[in-house]
Amino acid sequence: MITGKNYIGAEKSATGNKTYKTFNPKLNSETEWTFTEATSEEIDTAVAEAAGAFKIYSAFSDTKKANFLRAIAQEIEALGDTLIQTYMKESGLPEGRAKGERGRTMGQLNAFANLLEEGSWVDATIDTAQPNRAPLPKVDLRKMLMPIGPIVVFGSSNFPFAFSTAGGDTASALASGCPVLVKSHPMHAATGEMVASAVLKAVEKTGMPNGVFSNLNSSGIEVGQQLVMHPMVKGVGFTGSIKGGTALYRLANQRDEPIPVFAEMGSINPVVVLPSALEEKRDEWAKSYAGSITLGAGQFCTNPGLILGIKSSTLDSFIKTLGESIVEIDPTCMLHPNIFKGFETGKNELSSQGGVNIVAEYSEDAAPNYAKQRVLTVDGANFLKNTKLHQEVFGPFSVVVSCENADELAEIIEKLEGQLTGTILGSTEEIATYSYVVSALQSRVGRIIFNGVPTGVEVCPSMHHGGPFPATTDSRFTSVGTSAIKRWVRPVSFQNWPQAALPEALKDDNPLGINRLVDSKFTYDKIE
Ligand code: NAP
């Protein structure tokens, strides 16, 4: 049942007087639920409880935390069709997507549980003592990763499950041993409340400390700001706009004790179409990109918003087929009227820039909040001198740039802002011929794709979903895949520490049976 209240640990609370409602974009009307924004006092209580829970939770074994994560996945599934219907109502996204994203969310929770059960993620590193070393004896040093403290997670608008309440940020933080305070996304607060109720059932069933998880409502920036500024909060996970992410990053750096903000923000995901791709598979690529640009109404951080090619008749014919294919696709509903408005404003702003032509746009009537896709073209010189054209337009939209030659193509890539992904369409031989273009692209992105589309992010240990600023605030870390746990930990070295008092991961007899770097060699062996 949706109560509209904040979940402060196990306690449901609504002492404030600021309320708001969520919106059904398909019906173009408000939903039946009303939510009460968290007050300053409620935020303080939730953070204090999280700080208290940290002392207990961070000391739990990985097996115990893994049971908790698995229980969350089970409780989410147990919410059944009501959860799916709530998600669809608040996001306008179809049932297949809702079920797929729920599966991904449960898969992420279970993947972190597997990681914990295996145990080697703590990067245990041991250098044994050499008392007889000359001229000075060497001390015994043992290092491992340890959780940093309560984490604030900002639910994203475009993934109500997978990047929200119990999404990747929450799963990775809980796996690391950190309590989580979710700042619920106001566009899908009911979906958020249902998932929060599942997490809290799992807290109770697996004996986790109260305060290990809280879910706070808000419809403005104040709740998030207070959470980020709270001295007991030690890290932040965010997915959303460049404006929001950088504002929070700056705020966190103004604290007396600055804390890390891992913000995943905008990206236009450049795609470089090399000559052989145009000669051999022009129509195939044009059609597959029409699909990728419009997938999920273009509301993906990996949406291909920029396509770069070298001027030729084959590039013209690729653009023509892309335009013809994209207008054949029926528009779909966007997440919210505000996202729809942002899309309309962004696409019109970019379309009105100098040297820009509209190659294709969906021109039939569409229901309110349904995104009409558009593709623009511009030449390389105009793109280079106008950085407005580099901006992300969140929705089914892309700009195709016709470059004068390969040098101009490389120059454009070098001047691009940091990106989550970059794609090369071409042949294996062209990777060598255009090595300077490829290396320029590699230096701007976190994931480089060969002959594919950037949409569709595999969740697995080798995925890197992060890129140079402004794609993310820290390109060294990923928000997708099990390496995401590394954002919430810090290394601690134990020097000459007694065996009995060492964490299990660092004891001589390796009771956890994990892989460790002992005297510079990876081994599962005990230290004799
Ligand atoms: P957003 O505006 O960045 O907001 C995300 C969350 O951060 C919201 O909960 C918002 O709170 C909070 N927030 C924003 N600015 C803040 C600030 N200065 N201080 C504290 N909290 C702040 O993103 P959105 O609402 O999801 O969507 C808006 C636009 O962001 C989209 O149209 C799109 O352009 C972009 N976006 C991009 C991606 C991507 O993956 N590239 C994903 C999602 C959105 P309140 O809502 O409560 O104010």
Side-chain angles (χ1 to χ4, degrees):
M1 196 193 93
I2 309 301
T3 66
K5 293 184 179 178
N6 300 283
Y7 286 39
I8 301 174
E11 192 77 31
K12 293 191 186 76
S13 175
T15 57
N17 48 27
K18 190 171 168 195
T19 60
Y20 61 99
K21 293 179 93 65
T22 53
F23 200 85
N24 183 328
K26 278 206 161 151
L27 299 181
N28 203 26
S29 62
E30 286 181 332
T31 64
E32 61 269 43
W33 308 296
T34 302
F35 301 88
T36 305
E37 182 160 303
T39 61
S40 191
E41 292 72 30
E42 284 169 327
I43 295 169
D44 279 342
T45 308
V47 179
E49 283 183 6
F54 177 62
K55 292 183 189 146
I56 305 162
Y57 184 66
S58 58
F60 279 177
S61 71
D62 276 2
T63 315
K64 203 163 175 177
K65 285 182 281 170
N67 289 342
F68 174 38
L69 296 182
R70 290 200 197 286
I72 298 174
Q74 284 156 11
E75 293 299 335
I76 290 173
E77 191 167 38
L79 290 167
D81 198 47
T82 319
L83 178 64
I84 297 295
Q85 295 305 323
T86 308
Y87 170 112
M88 288 164 64
K89 245 187 203 180
E90 289 189 319
S91 68
L93 294 167
E95 187 174 0
R97 160 72 192 270
K99 288 187 168 163
E101 198 184 324
R102 179 182 60 182
R104 173 177 169 174
T105 306
M106 291 163 57
Q108 289 172 170
L109 287 156
N110 288 325
F112 281 108
N114 291 341
L115 186 82
L116 295 181
E117 280 159 358
E118 197 285 325
S120 307
W121 72 273
V122 295
D123 283 353
T125 307
I126 299 173
D127 291 295
T128 51
Q130 293 173 17
N132 301 323
R133 189 182 69 173
L136 288 172
K138 185 179 176 191
V139 293
D140 182 283
L141 270 170
R142 300 178 184 227
K143 179 173 79 173
M144 67 177 287
L145 300 174
M146 299 198 131
I148 56 177
I151 303 301
V152 170
V153 170
F154 283 75
S156 80
S157 57
N158 58 339
F159 279 92
F161 288 150
F163 282 88
S164 285
T165 323
D169 286 343
T170 298
S172 56
L174 290 176
S176 75
C178 295
V180 169
L181 300 130
V182 172
K183 190 285 201 195
S184 169
H185 199 287
M187 292 181 195
H188 47 76
T191 309
E193 181 180 343
M194 287 189 80
V195 175
S197 73
V199 179
L200 288 161
K201 268 196 189 142
V203 167
E204 201 188 330
K205 282 189 177 168
T206 57
M208 295 296 128
N210 189 40
V212 72
F213 178 86
S214 286
N215 185 55
L216 300 165
N217 294 326
S218 86
S219 63
I221 61 174
E222 297 78 13
V223 169
Q225 287 178 335
Q226 191 186 334
L227 281 165
V228 171
M229 290 305 280
H230 201 292
M232 288 183 210
V233 166
K234 299 297 174 195
V236 179
F238 171 93
T239 305
S241 65
I242 293 180
K243 191 166 165 250
T246 47
L248 293 169
Y249 179 78
R250 291 202 179 106
L251 202 62
N253 279 290
Q254 285 162 19
R255 292 171 37 131
D256 289 341
E257 179 200 354
I259 53 168
V261 173
F262 296 101
E264 194 241 281
M265 305 176 287
S267 189
I268 52 172
N269 305 295
V271 178
V272 178
V273 196
L274 292 174
S276 77
L278 293 172
E279 278 145 27
E280 289 158 24
K281 291 188 174 172
R282 187 176 51 240
D283 289 354
E284 210 176 293
W285 283 126
K287 285 178 188 153
S288 111
Y289 269 85
S292 178
I293 293 164
T294 50
L295 190 71
Q299 301 166 120
F300 289 123
C301 45
T302 51
N303 195 55
L306 177 66
I307 301 175
L308 303 160
I310 300 167
K311 259 183 198 162
S312 67
S313 57
T314 48
L315 180 65
D316 292 341
S317 116
F318 167 84
I319 295 169
K320 187 165 172 280
T321 313
L322 174 66
E324 286 165 0
S325 311
I326 211 162
V327 294
E328 277 171 17
I329 297 169
D330 287 334
T332 45
C333 187
M334 296 198 91
L335 294 159
H336 193 271
N338 291 346
I339 301 267
F340 174 76
K341 257 185 246 147
F343 171 60
E344 287 293 310
T345 309
K347 101 180 158 177
N348 292 330
E349 205 178 347
L350 265 67
S351 306
S352 66
Q353 302 299 308
V356 165
N357 296 306
I358 299 175
V359 220
E361 72 177 328
Y362 188 89
S363 52
E364 312 274 309
D365 284 346
N369 305 318
Y370 277 58
K372 293 184 179 184
Q373 53 269 34
R374 188 182 287 179
V375 174
L376 309 180
T377 50
V378 66
D379 64 25
N382 275 305
F383 185 82
L384 265 175
K385 71 178 181 212
N386 187 354
T387 52
K388 191 137 254 189
L389 292 167
H390 306 194
Q391 277 175 14
E392 178 186 43
V393 173
F394 196 63
F397 174 88
S398 201
V399 179
V400 187
V401 182
S402 303
C403 303
E404 209 47 52
N405 49 41
D407 288 341
E408 189 177 72
L409 174 59
E411 188 185 352
I412 287 176
I413 297 170
E414 274 161 16
K415 292 194 172 147
L416 274 182
E417 298 75 7
Q419 306 288 334
L420 289 170
T421 77
T423 302
I424 297 280
L425 303 182
S427 65
T428 310
E429 294 72 41
E430 281 174 320
I431 292 185
T433 321
Y434 292 90
S435 59
Y436 55 107
V437 171
V438 176
S439 73
L441 189 64
Q442 196 182 311
S443 72
R444 304 311 303 133
V445 309
R447 174 165 60 109
I448 187 155
I449 299 149
F450 182 60
N451 283 344
V453 292
T455 41
V457 181
E458 196 64 44
V459 184
C460 61
S462 52
M463 174 51 69
H464 187 74
H465 192 67
F469 187 85
T472 61
T473 44
D474 194 334
S475 63
R476 296 167 300 169
F477 294 91
T478 180
S479 58
V480 174
T482 44
S483 303
I485 198 170
K486 297 276 165 77
R487 296 173 299 167
W488 319 120
V489 287
R490 64 188 180 89
V492 177
S493 280
F494 295 81
Q495 185 170 327
N496 282 347
W497 212 243
Q499 277 293 313
L502 275 169
E504 301 284 279
L506 299 178
K507 286 187 170 155
D508 275 356
D509 56 356
N510 194 10
L512 302 176
I514 59 175
N515 196 14
R516 310 187 293 183
L517 189 67
V518 178
D519 293 330
S520 303
K521 284 204 181 95
F522 280 108
T523 176
Y524 288 90
D525 292 346
K526 297 175 179 185
I527 298 169
E528 301 296 345

